[in-house]
Amino acid sequence: MAEPAQSAPHNKVLDHIVRTPGRQPSPQPTHLSVPGSSHHHRVIDESGPGYVAPKFEGKEKQMEQVMDQIEEKGFIPADFVESETNWFYNELGIDDMYFSTETVEAIVNHILSLYAAKIAAYARDDKQLEIRLDKEAADHAVYIDTSKPGVSVMDGPRYEQRIDEKYLDLSSGSNSYRVETFRSSGPLPGDQEHQLRCYFVYKCNFANPNPDKNETRLDVIGDKTFLQKATDNTKAIYQEIIHNTVSRTGPVIEMFDIEGRRDKRLVIAYQQGSAHGIFSALSDLYHYYGVTSSRKYVEQFSNGVTVMSLYLRQLPHAGTSARYPPIEASIYQIMKEVSLLYCIPQNKFQLHFASGRLSLQETIYAHCVWVFVGHFLNRLGSEYTSLMSVLNPNNSAHAEMLAKIKRRLRTETFTADYILEIINKYPDLVRSLYLSFANTHYVQTRGEQDDFIPTLSYLRLKVDKVLDDSELKELISQSAATEHDEMVMTAFRIFNASVLKTNFYTPTKVALSFRFNPSFLPESEYPQPLYGMFLVISSEFRGFHLRFRDIARGGIRIVKSRNREAYSINARSLFDENYNLANTQQRKNKDIPEGGSKGVILLDVHQQDKARVAFEKYIDSILDLLLPPTSPGIKDPIVDLHGQQEILFMGPDENTADLVDWATEHARTRGAPWWKSFFTGKSPKLGGIPHDAYGMTTLSVREFVLGIYRKLNLNPSTVRKLQTGGPDGDLGSNEIILGNEKYTAIVDGSGVLIDPNGIDYPELVRLAQQRLMISHFDATKLSSEGYRVLVDQNNVKLPSGETVHNGTTFRNTFHLRNKLQYDMFVPCGGRPESIDLSSVTKLIVDGKSTIPYIVEGANLFITQDAKLRLEKAGCILFKDASANKGGVTSSSLEVLASLSFDDPGFVENMCHRDDGTAPPFYIAYVKAVQETIKKNAQLEFEAIWREHQQTGLPRSVLSDKLSVAITKLDEELQNSGLWEKEDLRRSILEDALPALLLEKIGLDLILERVPDNYLRAIFGSYLASRFVYEFGSSPSQFAFFDL
């Protein structure tokens, strides 16, 4: 990472924020009642607890039975039996619900345990009464603990964390749990500081376990016990907040003053399972501000909403302490920070927060920088650069050694745990660095009257000095004990200097998003400079979005990990994989106006089932930085150091195809004027052209396969074919359906299917049409030499006599085996770098490639150095950036249609009807898109084939040379005076734009509706690609102007 260039500007007040031009107001997806909002200062008349347990008529009789059994056991002296029982029944605040559900034996055990704790206290030196009691049954649990009001306990049983992990985090559908917790009204005997905190967990019994997802009526979605116990006042509050939650993405937070008292009732609602660990984390939050709770309730509703209700009051001593603001001010601090807590309920520096050493904002800031450092501090350093300059990368031995050194340096230098250990040593440095960050990005929306100051306490900004960058550099240098410590803490400065905008201080948010200036990336490792970089962080995931141009397009993929080891590998390679995918996209997009971009979301190791939640949070938090905030207290203005309007164009990728419709609708809900073009690959009812349904990606790959057969006069039916990515995937299924070769092996997520005599083709087509893995292949249709090995199988004996000990390992490495002979290999799926410089040697025997032809359908399946080795060994290979570009062409033409039509025209001509029928224009347009894809692929295939014959350069190199030549000429043409020549401009656009659009809308209307910079990009990319495909990449770009 490069050193930050300069210190960030000082704290912004609202009137002086850098404005983004042209941004319009929009409705927002989350809600918060705060000063300035319409819900401010709501007062409720609530003398009771908001819940009234049905009276347990058998309570007196049960109490007598309890006392009888206690006397029989003889552990409590007879004189104390009645007083101890009475204390338990009447003074701990336990309601009748508990007594009506527990057995006499269980209550007796609880009373005896509490008495035993009192006795044990007398044997302790500190005489402290410590009561810890828990009982967990199949459908309920009881926890009773000694509690000092306003203090987070960091050792002991940590019952709230247990309730989170065992019950609340796992609540889903009918397997959901509600919680009631009370604090005893008086102190413990002989201990004026401590009270008893009781927790009761009950399995829900819903009135209707399977309601409509948009159902909000409490009598339909409520738990029967809640409906029985909740007062009308509580039901009215919950009814309103649930209605708001169903229509929004993030948490809904409401506060109510309780008439006649300073106490506050805080109600928080969110989508079930979207905030793991928040119940226990909330306690740390309000304790930090000198506030404690008397009662807390967690309710689950069968429509998937969780509602928490907290009754908060100020600690007696807090009101006189300079550390704590009065509860009337701190409640707004707490409310604003609940949204921050919702994003990351349990951050990596939680203990610093729970102990009061750092504020919530400081710990979450440190957590975000910890993520940042993990991706960007594992760089290679000057030694690697020097070594690279000494060695010859074209020498295969040198190149292999460099690859191994690079991998080892990145994995062993700074592990995530090592970085965490270093940051934990410097809480004071974190505080100073955070203050610098806050001073730049926090907006005082109410000027000097703002009661929310982003510091350790609301007084700190007036006390602590905000250091500039040079002062911070000196402080880090003086404080750091080792060179590594200084490197990690310096990365905080780089983080601060690189953030252009963030939603960190937006009152409501679902994840934390940062837009960076990517200039800190070292050129030696990332030679192609990025235009834009977003980092998004939440408890479920971390994700990047990278793009190489302002107008850029690329898919969003979700990466899952089978285990912790796989997660560690995926986390280390996340940014580099994203960068390489976007770079490949940039080269792929040579035929279209948009540059290359890509988004990658990595699910946390413990959140592998949260793909949809992660995607929704990722999209919404990026929208926070693209759309203008106009709802006070909900989406406040942000500091925008980028200062330019940004539009991102996205599309489906791994694990996101079924989420695209939601993203489109959500962008429309949030008022994005570009919602139609925000995502491509959406369903036809929204005007999308699904790549898989029409084989868009495969059509391009297939043209390169057919090109090889055509040039070499090969009969496809005799070509033995290996394919990774099976009949369940987009690319794999369509390759099978369009193919006519002799398939001898297919590898997919479920395992490997092999038949040297040819896999039964009709059976393969059946799987492809139904999108089923090869685990569903009818094994009776294999020949005597055929076999199948699934990933969960071990010790499988093959027809050859070989034994496969581990099915997963066999699957992962099968493409590197050379025991079977193939003519054509088409990777249609698989992880990036499945063939690299160290493994490619297994495919080269006696200097010759064991596979004669490879068309790389899957992105980055083979590393560039491995491609060069294969080509040197005689393999005819076409790389992903050339072959796999059909999808981007389809997406670009889909966007062009959405920009060209007005809303009514788009709905009429591009959106499928409710009965699923497609408009005639749509059908014709899809066919035109398919023909364009095939034509572009043929043009590039012929250009590469011709240039290879003329120059002898590897096709993998020529592919990149063509991309660079087209991109460079494209930029020159866009900036030349040619665009200003109207006759030429109109002539070129008439050739470049689809004839169907011109016929339907007309050039003049298209020119009026499509943004000028987009039209300019169409002009440049069309001219540049046609020129380079015809005349090659070698002639001077100025030769174009001589034509």
Side-chain angles (χ1 to χ4, degrees):
M1 282 187 290
E3 282 278 318
Q6 59 184 24
S7 61
H10 284 289
N11 196 11
K12 302 288 180 300
V13 179
L14 182 58
D15 292 340
H16 300 119
I17 301 173
V18 178
R19 300 291 184 183
T20 299
R23 305 215 287 186
Q24 298 301 315
S26 70
Q28 304 300 336
T30 46
H31 174 73
L32 177 66
S33 74
V34 297
S37 75
S38 59
H39 296 276
H40 176 43
H41 205 67
R42 299 171 69 178
V43 180
I44 53 174
D45 179 10
E46 189 171 81
S47 55
Y51 285 73
V52 178
K55 184 174 176 60
F56 176 35
E57 298 296 343
K59 189 173 182 180
E60 292 299 326
K61 183 179 178 182
Q62 183 195 65
M63 191 172 173
E64 291 177 7
Q65 293 174 337
V66 167
M67 287 191 286
D68 289 343
Q69 285 201 21
I70 291 175
E71 283 190 18
E72 286 177 18
K73 293 187 181 290
F75 292 118
I76 300 179
D79 293 346
F80 294 161
V81 170
E82 184 175 354
S83 62
E84 289 297 322
T85 306
N86 185 64
W87 177 68
F88 184 81
Y89 267 77
N90 299 318
E91 295 183 30
L92 295 186
I94 302 172
D95 70 17
D96 281 12
M97 174 77 180
Y98 163 79
F99 295 108
S100 64
T101 56
E102 287 292 352
T103 64
V104 169
E105 291 75 15
I107 296 171
V108 167
N109 286 335
H110 290 168
I111 294 173
L112 290 175
S113 298
L114 293 174
Y115 183 77
K118 294 179 183 179
I119 299 299
Y122 288 102
R124 294 173 57 132
D125 291 338
D126 57 7
K127 305 300 180 188
Q128 183 177 333
L129 178 57
E130 190 174 83
I131 296 171
R132 286 171 180 170
L133 177 68
D134 58 81
K135 176 199 171 184
E136 296 175 345
D139 60 349
H140 71 283
V142 178
Y143 305 93
I144 301 176
D145 193 14
T146 310
S147 170
K148 185 177 180 180
V151 176
S152 294
V153 179
M154 287 173 282
D155 54 9
R158 297 172 68 83
Y159 288 138
E160 291 196 352
Q161 284 80 3
R162 182 166 180 79
I163 291 169
D164 264 332
E165 293 167 4
K166 186 165 185 178
Y167 298 104
L168 298 182
D169 291 352
L170 303 178
S171 285
S172 177
S174 58
N175 190 39
S176 297
Y177 293 86
R178 57 186 300 272
V179 178
E180 300 181 14
T181 169
F182 315 98
R183 181 179 296 283
S184 62
S185 55
L188 292 172
D191 186 343
Q192 293 302 307
E193 288 193 338
H194 289 81
Q195 297 170 322
L196 278 190
R197 167 69 83 176
C198 306
Y199 301 90
F200 303 97
V201 183
Y202 302 102
K203 190 169 186 178
C204 293
N205 181 16
F206 293 117
N208 179 354
N210 299 297
D212 182 81
K213 64 179 182 178
N214 294 317
E215 179 63 71
T216 58
R217 290 172 295 171
L218 288 188
D219 58 336
V220 176
I221 61 176
D223 166 74
K224 291 179 180 178
T225 302
F226 164 78
L227 294 173
Q228 190 178 29
K229 293 181 65 175
T231 62
D232 290 343
N233 192 39
T234 292
K235 288 178 182 176
I237 291 171
Y238 279 29
Q239 183 67 74
E240 180 184 350
I241 203 168
I242 288 172
H243 178 77
N244 290 333
T245 305
V246 167
S247 61
R248 294 181 171 93
T249 306
V252 179
I253 306 160
E254 292 274 6
M255 186 275 290
F256 302 89
D257 292 328
I258 299 177
E259 190 171 18
R261 307 209 305 270
R262 293 182 67 195
D263 294 7
K264 312 292 179 184
R265 184 177 183 182
L266 190 62
V267 185
I268 304 161
Y270 55 90
Q271 296 294 334
Q272 193 178 63
S274 64
H276 284 191
I278 196 169
F279 176 66
S280 54
L282 279 167
S283 297
D284 294 335
L285 175 58
Y286 57 72
H287 288 166
Y288 183 83
Y289 290 103
V291 173
T292 187
S293 64
S294 57
R295 303 185 306 282
K296 294 188 285 191
Y297 300 90
V298 183
E299 298 294 352
Q300 310 285 357
F301 295 88
S302 58
N303 65 345
V305 173
T306 299
V307 181
M308 293 186 182
S309 192
L310 290 70
Y311 290 79
L312 303 177
R313 62 176 54 151
Q314 189 145 24
L315 290 172
H317 66 275
T320 59
S321 170
R323 173 185 168 91
Y324 302 112
I327 192 170
E328 289 78 11
S330 64
I331 190 66
Y332 293 115
Q333 284 271 38
I334 292 167
M335 289 175 68
K336 284 195 174 185
E337 296 197 8
V338 165
S339 181
L340 200 57
L341 200 64
Y342 174 83
C343 298
I344 310 176
Q346 301 288 337
N347 70 73
K348 288 291 182 180
F349 304 92
Q350 192 78 14
L351 288 179
H352 282 296
F353 171 49
S355 66
R357 185 77 186 269
L358 292 173
S359 71
L360 178 67
Q361 296 156 61
E362 288 162 340
T363 55
I364 290 185
Y365 161 77
H367 178 100
C368 293
V369 182
W370 168 75
V371 172
F372 175 85
V373 173
H375 289 292
F376 300 113
L377 198 63
N378 291 356
R379 304 301 91 188
L380 308 176
S382 57
E383 293 85 353
Y384 177 83
T385 307
S386 301
L387 186 62
M388 190 168 63
S389 64
V390 172
L391 298 178
N392 178 10
N394 296 319
N395 180 304
S396 60
H398 290 186
E400 187 168 343
M401 184 172 69
L402 279 170
K404 288 179 179 178
I405 292 172
K406 182 190 238 183
R407 193 175 299 113
R408 177 167 294 185
L409 283 171
R410 285 190 167 168
T411 55
E412 294 184 359
T413 312
F414 287 90
T415 65
D417 288 342
Y418 182 42
I419 294 167
L420 187 65
E421 178 188 323
I422 290 173
I423 298 173
N424 265 316
K425 292 192 293 187
Y426 299 102
D428 292 337
L429 274 181
V430 168
R431 190 177 298 122
S432 296
L433 288 156
Y434 169 74
L435 203 57
S436 172
F437 170 82
N439 200 48
T440 300
H441 292 283
Y442 178 64
V443 178
Q444 292 174 261
T445 54
R446 295 192 293 151
E448 294 302 317
Q449 312 308 311
D450 201 336
D451 57 20
F452 177 60
I453 306 298
T455 52
L456 180 59
S457 76
Y458 85 132
L459 297 173
R460 179 180 292 164
L461 196 61
K462 300 176 182 177
V463 177
D464 288 3
K465 181 187 176 186
V466 180
L467 303 180
D468 64 26
D469 189 63
S470 61
E471 291 171 319
L472 284 171
K473 182 177 182 180
E474 181 64 24
L475 181 62
I476 291 170
S477 181
Q478 292 173 354
S479 305
T482 69
E483 182 182 355
H484 279 187
D485 291 7
E486 184 170 355
M487 288 173 66
V488 169
M489 300 314 294
T490 296
F492 278 72
R493 289 176 44 235
I494 296 169
F495 177 91
N496 286 359
S498 302
V499 175
L500 296 176
K501 49 185 173 178
T502 176
N503 70 347
F504 194 93
Y505 296 108
T506 300
T508 58
K509 51 193 166 288
V510 294
L512 296 168
S513 53
F514 303 89
R515 166 49 159 107
F516 291 101
N517 177 346
S519 60
F520 67 87
L521 294 172
E523 187 180 347
S524 59
E525 292 182 59
Y526 304 103
Q528 183 77 9
L530 285 169
Y531 177 87
M533 177 199 300
F534 288 84
L535 169 62
V536 186
I537 302 170
S538 88
S539 57
E540 292 88 6
F541 72 95
R542 63 182 67 176
F544 286 100
H545 186 274
L546 309 177
R547 73 191 200 274
F548 283 94
R549 283 190 186 174
D550 184 16
I551 302 282
R553 167 169 313 289
I556 310 297
R557 67 170 50 183
I558 296 175
V559 176
K560 299 181 178 181
S561 310
R562 294 175 68 93
N563 49 45
R564 183 174 289 278
E565 181 184 3
Y567 174 79
S568 297
I569 294 169
N570 289 336
R572 283 197 298 266
S573 63
L574 176 64
F575 181 80
D576 285 354
E577 178 179 323
N578 197 158
Y579 178 90
N580 291 333
L581 286 167
N583 202 10
T584 299
Q585 197 79 25
Q586 171 78 356
R587 295 194 298 272
K588 244 195 253 186
N589 290 11
K590 61 178 79 69
D591 299 327
I592 63 174
E594 302 94 342
S597 72
K598 207 74 171 182
V600 179
I601 300 168
L602 174 65
L603 295 177
D604 183 79
V605 65
H606 301 300
Q607 308 279 354
Q608 295 298 301
D609 60 339
K610 291 290 191 298
R612 185 178 188 91
V613 170
F615 179 83
E616 290 183 1
K617 289 186 174 185
Y618 175 89
I619 295 298
D620 189 65
S621 56
I622 286 180
L623 286 175
D624 283 345
L625 303 185
L626 301 180
L627 296 173
T630 56
S631 305
I634 298 176
K635 296 290 182 182
D636 283 346
I638 61 172
V639 175
D640 185 355
L641 301 180
H642 183 57
Q644 299 174 31
Q645 184 177 9
E646 292 190 281
I647 302 175
L648 301 185
F649 297 106
M650 301 179 179
D653 206 308
E654 291 179 12
N655 299 310
T656 62
D658 59 339
L659 302 173
V660 167
D661 280 8
W662 175 88
T664 303
E665 296 281 15
H666 188 61
R668 175 159 60 176
T669 300
R670 288 202 59 176
W674 28 260
W675 68 269
K676 297 196 300 282
S677 59
F678 183 42
F679 258 86
T680 53
K682 49 192 176 289
S683 69
K685 70 177 183 179
L686 291 171
I689 302 175
H691 297 174
D692 55 349
Y694 298 105
M696 297 303 192
T697 309
T698 310
L699 284 171
S700 179
V701 174
R702 194 74 199 148
E703 284 302 318
F704 279 82
V705 173
L706 294 174
I708 293 173
Y709 298 160
R710 185 174 64 250
K711 292 292 185 183
L712 301 179
N713 295 316
L714 297 176
N715 180 358
S717 63
T718 64
V719 173
R720 296 165 297 180
K721 185 175 181 181
L722 162 66
Q723 180 177 311
T724 58
D728 61 311
D730 166 14
L731 193 52
S733 63
N734 283 303
E735 178 65 23
I736 289 170
I737 291 169
L738 294 176
N740 56 350
E741 298 91 344
K742 178 181 177 181
Y743 273 94
T744 52
I746 290 185
V747 183
D748 71 7
S750 67
V752 184
L753 181 68
I754 303 103
D755 195 331
N757 298 314
I759 300 171
D760 186 271
Y761 185 67
E763 177 66 1
L764 272 184
V765 171
R766 179 185 73 84
L767 296 185
Q769 290 173 339
Q770 297 180 28
R771 290 297 178 90
L772 297 173
M773 289 186 172
I774 54 104
S775 55
H776 295 273
F777 186 91
D778 183 355
T780 63
K781 297 188 175 182
L782 290 170
S783 72
S784 59
E785 296 179 58
Y787 57 92
R788 178 178 60 193
V789 180
L790 301 179
V791 292
D792 54 0
Q793 291 180 317
N794 296 319
N795 300 316
V796 178
K797 191 168 185 179
L798 306 183
S800 65
E802 179 188 356
T803 298
V804 173
H805 298 293
N806 183 287
T808 301
T809 302
F810 185 73
R811 188 277 309 269
N812 291 347
T813 58
F814 181 82
H815 61 282
L816 299 171
R817 288 167 62 92
N818 56 26
K819 295 187 178 182
L820 291 174
Q821 296 299 309
Y822 311 103
D823 303 308
M824 172 66 74
F825 177 24
V826 183
C828 294
R831 298 300 297 151
E833 301 186 8
S834 291
I835 300 176
D836 60 16
L837 195 57
S838 59
S839 61
V840 72
T841 53
K842 296 178 181 178
L843 297 178
I844 299 173
V845 177
D846 298 329
K848 189 161 185 63
S849 172
T850 59
I851 303 176
Y853 322 118
I854 298 177
V855 176
E856 187 183 26
N859 287 324
L860 305 177
F861 188 85
I862 311 172
T863 62
Q864 179 71 359
D865 44 14
K867 289 186 183 87
L868 297 177
R869 287 289 302 277
L870 284 166
E871 291 205 59
K872 188 176 181 181
C875 179
I876 295 176
L877 189 153
F878 288 92
K879 69 184 295 181
D880 51 356
S882 292
N884 181 348
K885 65 176 183 176
V888 302
T889 303
S890 173
S891 295
S892 182
L893 291 171
E894 179 184 328
V895 168
L896 181 59
S898 74
L899 294 172
S900 300
F901 282 111
D902 58 11
D903 280 8
F906 185 74
V907 171
E908 179 187 346
N909 293 287
M910 289 298 292
C911 296
H912 282 206
R913 309 295 177 242
D914 291 338
D915 62 2
T917 58
F921 179 86
Y922 181 95
I923 296 170
Y925 194 68
V926 166
K927 289 179 180 176
V929 170
Q930 291 174 322
E931 290 305 312
T932 299
I933 289 170
K934 291 194 280 189
K935 182 179 179 182
N936 286 345
Q938 290 166 7
L939 285 171
E940 183 164 1
F941 175 86
E942 293 294 341
I944 292 174
W945 192 274
R946 182 186 67 244
E947 290 236 332
H948 174 73
Q949 288 184 320
Q950 292 174 353
T951 66
L953 289 173
R955 295 175 182 85
S956 301
V957 171
L958 289 170
S959 174
D960 291 343
K961 282 192 71 177
L962 283 174
S963 296
V964 170
I966 292 171
T967 302
K968 186 177 179 184
L969 181 57
D970 177 6
E971 291 174 355
E972 290 180 1
L973 290 171
Q974 288 189 49
N975 295 320
S976 73
L978 293 178
W979 173 255
E980 307 303 329
K981 298 178 180 179
E982 184 178 356
D983 291 344
L984 177 63
R985 180 172 72 236
R986 292 178 67 91
S987 174
I988 296 300
L989 289 176
E990 282 176 347
D991 286 342
L993 294 170
L996 280 170
L997 279 180
L998 290 168
E999 182 183 317
K1000 189 75 176 179
I1001 303 170
L1003 180 60
D1004 290 331
L1005 261 183
I1006 292 176
L1007 293 176
E1008 181 182 320
R1009 290 170 179 171
V1010 178
D1012 186 73
N1013 58 348
Y1014 201 93
L1015 290 169
R1016 190 184 289 259
I1018 293 173
F1019 176 86
S1021 62
Y1022 180 82
L1023 271 180
S1025 61
R1026 277 8 184 214
F1027 174 77
V1028 171
Y1029 286 153
E1030 183 172 351
F1031 295 101
S1033 59
S1034 299
S1036 163
Q1037 307 305 322
F1038 295 104
F1040 176 89
F1041 300 100
D1042 296 332
L1043 291 179

